[in-house]
Amino acid sequence: DAMVIQNPRYQVTQFGKPVTLSCSQTLNHNVMYWYQQKSSQAPKLLFHYYDKDFNNEADTPDNFQSRRPNTSFCFLDIRSPGLGDAAMYLCATSSGQSYEQYFGPGTRLTVT
Amino acid sequence: AQKVTQAQTEISVVEKEDVTLDCVYETRDTTYYLFWYKQPPSGELVFLIRRNSFDEQNEISGRYSWNFQKSTSSFNFTITASQVVDSAVYFCALSEAGVRRLIKASGGSYIPTFGRGTSLIVHP
């Protein structure tokens, strides 16, 4: 089945220790998104790519970076995680011409 | 600017009851898309339905039905004969065609605005 995969599902990192979250997709979609979701809140868009073209949301902290080396993979790098970065991180895809998004299972990040 | 309001923070029902989740939206665009997503406790958001602004037909899929009314800017979601497995957070979302982000000349991406979500708890 075509899908969006995120690894790991759970990630524990120390305060200030860089961490990378990964996302892959078999849907061959042009667009990939990274969202941050905190408890009882809506997902908040951090970045998205149309193919390799990158779009950064204005309020995404500089501490967050992203890479998309090819169509299938996308990475979220948190350079110096703070306690406030503990959240669920969701990856999503959509085709360039359709509208709905397909989400991965998410990575729950804990910062100790 | 686009805005989505889900006034119901949490709804609690007993199995087999019908339940309606409300969604009210604001947009200045004449072409837009409305969505419902389900987020079970496992965390993955699951796409349920998309509606285009020019198609006001209501839709039914099994126990799920959606009522789209442009006159009241609402896109409500009804679950008939609810089941415990329906327990989840449900998000309504809106994408405006006019604010499609054109990163490349050949295409762009739609950036949805999500409501805050409604937590549905179905008790056995």
Side-chain angles (χ1 to χ4, degrees):
Chain A
D1 284 343
M3 58 177 61
V4 182
I5 302 162
Q6 289 187 247
N7 286 306
R9 294 292 307 277
Y10 300 91
Q11 176 73 57
V12 180
T13 190
Q14 293 177 337
F15 183 94
K17 186 174 180 182
V19 65
T20 294
L21 310 181
S22 71
C23 176
S24 63
Q25 55 130 340
T26 60
L27 297 161
N28 203 32
H29 281 168
N30 298 95
V31 191
M32 294 188 78
Y33 309 78
W34 277 107
Y35 286 89
Q36 178 193 65
Q37 187 182 26
K38 296 189 176 180
S39 183
S40 301
Q41 295 183 18
K44 177 181 181 298
L45 183 64
L46 297 173
F47 313 98
H48 78 282
Y49 285 87
Y50 188 104
D51 293 333
K52 284 199 171 185
D53 294 314
F54 175 73
N55 194 295
N56 185 37
E57 292 304 293
D59 58 354
T60 298
D62 294 338
N63 195 27
F64 291 83
Q65 295 180 330
S66 185
R67 297 169 281 136
R68 188 179 186 187
N70 54 53
T71 301
S72 301
F73 286 88
C74 197
F75 299 96
L76 174 63
D77 301 309
I78 309 176
R79 288 191 293 183
S80 182
L83 297 178
D85 296 327
M88 174 76 90
Y89 289 89
L90 296 163
C91 175
T93 72
S94 69
S95 76
Q97 302 302 321
S98 72
Y99 320 102
E100 62 268 20
Q101 294 174 307
Y102 295 89
F103 285 82
T107 295
R108 185 166 296 283
L109 178 68
T110 300
V111 181
T112 61
Chain B
Q2 54 190 22
K3 183 180 177 182
V4 176
T5 301
Q6 294 181 257
Q8 303 151 310
T9 305
E10 183 177 296
I11 301 174
S12 184
V13 300
V14 177
E15 213 171 15
K16 297 184 184 177
E17 282 186 31
D18 298 348
V19 59
T20 295
L21 310 180
D22 297 332
C23 174
V24 174
Y25 62 91
E26 294 177 29
T27 177
R28 294 180 181 175
D29 215 330
T30 55
T31 302
Y32 52 89
Y33 307 92
L34 294 162
F35 312 86
W36 276 96
Y37 290 87
K38 174 182 180 180
Q39 188 174 37
S42 60
E44 179 176 351
L45 272 91
V46 177
F47 165 71
L48 296 178
I49 190 172
R50 181 191 82 214
R51 217 67 189 128
N52 306 331
S53 55
F54 43 86
D55 182 3
E56 279 194 78
Q57 265 196 329
N58 292 326
E59 184 155 338
I60 299 174
S61 176
R63 295 184 297 107
Y64 294 174
S65 62
W66 291 269
N67 183 294
F68 176 29
Q69 292 197 340
K70 288 177 79 170
S71 61
T72 55
S73 298
S74 65
F75 185 43
N76 296 338
F77 174 27
T78 298
I79 302 175
T80 304
S82 59
Q83 300 176 0
V84 172
V85 293
D86 295 327
S87 298
V89 180
Y90 291 86
F91 290 96
C92 180
L94 164 70
S95 286
E96 293 175 329
V99 294
R100 186 181 182 193
R101 300 263 184 96
L102 287 174
I103 302 176
K104 292 178 67 169
S106 58
S109 47
Y110 293 92
I111 307 300
T113 293
F114 285 87
R116 294 177 64 94
T118 297
S119 177
L120 174 64
I121 302 168
V122 182
H123 299 280

